[in-house]
Amino acid sequence: MVGRTDGMPFPTQAQVNPSLCVSCGICVGACPSSTPFRRTQDLRTGIDLPELSLKELRERVVRIAAGLKGSGRVLVLACEHGAAAERLEGTVVLPCVAMAPPSLIDFVLSRNLADGVAVAGCAESACYNRLGVTWTEQRIAGERDPYLRARVPRERIATIWASAIATKRAESGIASFAARLAALPSKPLRSPLPASAASRPAKFREPAEVRGEP
């Protein structure tokens, strides 16, 4: 098991690429080198899980999104310990939703693979992996690296935190989100959020646009 700079361990079977990993302590899955926009053949990243590499995750997302039909198409990124794990249509199940890099949401929406992305994890007070809920919310809000870029329209993202027994709550939340999406006009790629301002405190800073990225 490999140590991390924040004192927490990597998952036992994590595969670390020392040429890309800089021991920043913000992984797994959300390593800054983990982005589905990269076009290298092997899609190398700083850290991966052998049973679900970033390449396989991207392929799974594309494959499942291809089956979404109609208006209000929702792609669900679900924690295997939460209520949405049993929802079959349009659901990608992960060991923890914090494994999904924020750029994956950007990828889904900018490629028009879905009309919206629902991140469905454990109950807020009982996250199986302790900080998955908190870190995911902070990344979407632009308060934790890696940030979800400002260009991603937040009205097309929903977070649903429900335990494995709260399936009705998860189903209702996803259905309501789909209905809201169906009522929205054609989505702009960029959100109305302002770009980063260097003078603002980091915790209040909006995600910056990255020149040259899709």
Side-chain angles (χ1 to χ4, degrees):
M1 189 173 288
V2 183
R4 290 175 19 163
T5 56
D6 62 359
M8 295 179 65
F10 288 137
T12 304
Q13 299 299 319
Q15 295 180 333
V16 179
N17 184 332
S19 67
L20 293 175
C21 177
V22 294
S23 300
C24 60
I26 59 174
C27 49
V28 172
C31 172
S33 65
S34 298
T35 168
F37 287 109
R38 293 173 60 196
R39 295 179 176 85
T40 55
Q41 185 176 359
D42 56 357
L43 198 59
R44 298 171 64 202
T45 182
I47 182 168
D48 250 336
L49 296 181
E51 66 271 22
L52 188 61
S53 66
L54 177 62
K55 181 177 185 293
E56 182 180 341
L57 176 58
R58 182 178 67 178
E59 291 173 351
R60 188 179 300 181
V61 164
V62 172
R63 181 175 67 252
I64 290 176
L68 299 175
K69 306 296 181 185
S71 58
R73 299 169 300 154
V74 177
L75 181 83
V76 182
L77 299 177
C79 170
E80 67 181 7
H81 305 285
E86 299 301 319
R87 185 179 184 271
L88 299 179
E89 181 182 355
T91 301
V92 178
V93 179
L94 302 166
C96 176
V97 291
M99 276 187 59
S103 56
L104 183 65
I105 298 175
D106 189 357
F107 178 78
V108 170
L109 296 178
S110 64
R111 296 293 191 269
N112 196 30
L113 300 178
D115 298 308
V117 175
V119 180
C122 302
E124 289 178 276
S125 60
C127 175
Y128 184 86
N129 289 298
R130 295 181 52 214
L131 299 175
V133 172
T134 301
W135 287 1
T136 298
E137 289 183 331
Q138 289 174 346
R139 289 164 184 160
I140 292 175
E143 297 171 353
R144 183 181 181 85
D145 192 24
Y147 307 133
L148 179 64
R149 289 193 288 178
R151 77 177 193 175
V152 182
R154 267 48 176 188
E155 69 274 14
R156 294 188 176 271
I157 305 170
T159 54
I160 300 167
W161 311 119
S163 68
I165 62 174
T167 54
K168 294 295 184 183
R169 177 182 174 186
E171 290 173 358
S172 175
I174 293 170
S176 297
F177 180 48
R180 295 198 303 272
L181 291 173
L184 291 176
S186 298
K187 67 176 178 68
L189 178 62
R190 298 181 182 276
S191 77
L193 294 177
S196 295
S199 60
R200 300 176 66 189
K203 68 178 182 177
F204 299 117
R205 201 175 295 165
E206 297 294 353
E209 299 297 326
V210 180
R211 187 179 301 276
E213 289 195 18

